[in-house]
Amino acid sequence: MEKVPTRLNVAPVPPDEIFALNGAFFADTHPQKVSLGVGVYRTDDGKPWPLPAVEKAEKQLAEENDLMRHEYTAIEGDVPFLKIARDLMFGFEGKASEEAAKARIASVQTVAGTGANHLGALFLAHHMKPRNVWLSNPSWANHMTIWELAGVPRKTYPYYHAATRSFDFDGMMSTLENDAEEGDVVLLHACAHNPTGLDPNKEQWIAIADLCERKKLFPFFDSAYQGFASGSLEEDAWAVRYFFDNKPDMEMCVAQSFSKNMGLYGQRTGAFHYITNRSATSIRDVVVNNLCHLIRGEFSMGPRIGCTIVKKIMSSEELTADWHNDLQVMSSRIKSMREALYNELVRLKTPGTWEHIVEQNGMFSYTGLTPKQVYALKDKYHVYLLKSGRASISGLSQKNVAYVALAIDDVVRNVL
């Protein structure tokens, strides 16, 4: 058969490491296999955990049998949901200037946190045209892809100090001070930095905010773990709220996800918030209008079911209290697994220092293991984590943590 030439100019794209690793894990038949790759919450039995508050909300919604439950929403999304998401992120309770503060925020619904990051990148690329976006080194791998597709040149600032396994605050500040230009975007993880689990402290966040204001940089917050990281919605939103409350003449934006904190991974529930400066609130509706233009041409409107669950929970004092308890359950289990792994490594006298495991925060730990050690863990012990050494702590349990520690101890001692 004669070959028909194609008009396409395509080359293979490397597979996504996380999903490829997850596929290899599911194909593995070893009885002691352990998945420390994908960032999803698991119970101590290694099972998914639909949040009890979410299950109650789903039951109530099913009983209500709303005939509109599968209908279209508005292009900007479900408006009551957007108000809930905004208030959860920025925390207006008891503030005298609440209405003036809310007037600064243009909000739209997105296809989860990834969609919020993408929409924000696309909007800024079209309407602000930044020379560069600055990403932490390392960062969530999808940040690089999102900004590449938006056509904005990517640069990185130091974030992880490998020798001490700590946050490289001095390196970050020095690089942004010396190399970032007015109008550049700086992507910041609001809490539970992915992949390192290392966050600035409050004094450092204040210094970062001052630098962004002085150099006229544009902060872009990615908030994927509010409430999940510490168990406190307020604590995990502290950085975002500090920038918003204390730098009213600085514009910024926030990508918000409900995947982790409500366990709505597959429902793709998120929001994007653009914050004007306090003298430019008149453009808020125009910002929403332009965001809707991008949304209409791409996915028309956000998914309905996830945001309906969020509304049901947040409009009920009982369900909200249940959800706060669910956050405590998840964050507490993650912290206990960090301590259990650390204690096992100390008991085994595993070479090196391991305090960083308990000092880090949120779902992930940057373990310090080398790619060769990571491959050895998979090949010899069927323990799966990213080649960077990033481990999803949620994959640990009382049943497997000793096994994982023994495996780490072996590869640290024997694989250089």
Side-chain angles (χ1 to χ4, degrees):
M1 179 182 292
E2 183 181 354
K3 292 184 177 181
V4 178
T6 178
R7 295 181 181 274
L8 295 176
N9 179 19
V10 292
V13 176
D16 183 275
E17 183 186 5
I18 295 173
F19 284 89
L21 190 73
N22 205 38
F25 171 78
F26 280 115
D28 191 338
T29 59
H30 193 273
Q32 285 186 287
K33 66 179 182 179
V34 179
S35 174
L36 303 180
V38 66
V40 293
Y41 181 78
R42 291 291 182 258
T43 66
D44 202 58
D45 292 324
K47 304 294 185 184
W49 192 56
L51 272 60
V54 170
E55 289 190 316
K56 288 182 182 179
E58 288 175 317
K59 184 178 179 181
Q60 291 180 20
L61 290 167
E63 291 171 350
E64 291 169 6
N65 194 30
D66 181 8
L67 294 179
M68 297 292 289
R69 65 187 180 274
H70 299 305
E71 293 294 297
Y72 293 129
T73 60
I75 297 173
E76 68 197 87
D78 186 298
V79 174
F81 160 76
L82 288 172
K83 292 179 180 178
I84 288 168
R86 176 200 63 194
D87 293 356
L88 193 70
M89 189 77 259
F90 296 95
F92 300 106
E93 300 85 358
K95 294 180 181 176
S97 57
E98 179 177 337
E99 291 307 313
K102 289 179 178 178
R104 295 176 56 202
I105 305 172
S107 302
V108 293
Q109 190 178 337
T110 61
V111 185
T114 298
N117 275 276
H118 165 70
L119 180 67
L122 198 61
F123 176 75
L124 296 180
H126 276 253
H127 299 290
M128 200 175 79
K129 295 180 169 51
R131 291 187 183 91
N132 306 288
V133 59
W134 290 87
L135 308 175
S136 64
N137 181 22
S139 190
W140 180 44
N142 214 16
H143 282 148
M144 191 68 75
T145 301
I146 287 166
W147 287 92
E148 175 192 356
L149 295 175
V152 178
R154 284 90 58 214
K155 292 187 175 182
T156 61
Y157 56 84
Y159 195 87
Y160 179 69
H161 192 269
T164 58
R165 299 176 183 177
S166 62
F167 169 45
D168 188 1
F169 174 69
D170 291 339
M172 173 185 180
M173 295 295 283
S174 175
T175 296
L176 293 177
E177 181 68 56
N178 294 325
D179 299 333
E181 303 176 66
E182 180 178 336
D184 281 359
V185 174
V186 180
L187 198 141
L188 303 165
H189 300 228
C191 68
H193 182 271
N194 180 2
T196 68
L198 295 164
D199 294 331
N201 60 37
K202 290 178 180 178
E203 290 73 20
Q204 290 168 335
W205 273 124
I206 291 170
I208 293 167
D210 290 343
L211 183 147
C212 289
E213 181 179 48
R214 178 168 44 78
K215 288 187 65 69
K216 298 182 179 178
L217 308 178
F218 185 92
F220 190 129
F221 277 99
D222 186 358
S223 178
Y225 298 97
Q226 186 188 4
F228 182 98
S230 69
S232 166
L233 295 163
E234 293 73 23
E235 187 67 21
D236 293 344
W238 191 90
V240 172
R241 295 179 183 183
Y242 178 83
F243 275 62
F244 178 75
D245 292 336
N246 293 277
K247 304 296 180 183
D249 295 320
M250 183 169 65
E251 300 196 353
M252 56 184 270
C253 65
V254 181
Q256 182 182 19
S257 171
F258 289 88
S259 294
K260 304 299 192 297
N261 60 14
M262 285 202 180
L264 298 174
Y265 302 99
Q267 297 294 356
R268 315 312 293 144
T269 308
F272 175 75
H273 309 280
Y274 187 96
I275 296 89
T276 72
N277 68 63
R278 60 183 166 183
S279 63
T281 56
S282 61
I283 71 164
R284 183 188 66 173
D285 292 345
V286 179
V287 171
V288 172
N289 173 259
N290 278 270
L291 287 167
C292 286
H293 179 65
L294 295 173
I295 290 169
R296 181 60 172 155
E298 186 164 334
F299 57 93
S300 278
M301 62 202 63
R304 184 163 193 142
I305 294 176
C307 71
T308 303
I309 292 171
V310 173
K311 285 193 302 180
K312 175 59 70 174
I313 291 173
M314 299 305 294
S315 61
S316 161
E317 289 186 7
E318 179 184 351
L319 290 179
T320 298
D322 288 344
W323 178 50
H324 288 173
N325 183 66
D326 295 343
L327 292 172
Q328 287 293 330
V329 169
M330 292 189 291
S331 62
S332 295
R333 201 187 88 74
I334 295 291
K335 292 172 186 175
S336 70
M337 285 299 100
R338 287 184 179 277
E339 292 171 1
L341 178 59
Y342 169 74
N343 289 337
E344 282 294 315
L345 292 170
V346 170
R347 184 183 66 81
L348 293 168
K349 296 183 171 60
T350 304
T353 59
W354 300 97
E355 289 84 359
H356 59 282
I357 291 175
V358 289
E359 291 170 353
Q360 293 164 357
N361 181 40
M363 183 170 282
F364 301 114
S365 172
Y366 226 46
T367 60
L369 297 174
T370 67
K372 286 185 178 180
Q373 291 167 340
V374 168
Y375 296 141
L377 282 176
K378 179 171 73 71
D379 294 341
K380 185 175 180 180
Y381 291 99
H382 304 265
V383 175
Y384 291 76
L385 60 157
L386 300 190
K387 65 182 179 182
S388 64
R390 188 201 82 170
S392 178
I393 298 298
S394 181
L396 294 174
S397 70
Q398 296 294 338
K399 298 175 182 178
N400 67 28
V401 67
Y403 173 76
V404 170
L406 281 169
I408 292 174
D409 182 77
D410 179 48
V411 301
V412 168
R413 292 180 188 276
N414 297 302
V415 179
L416 299 179

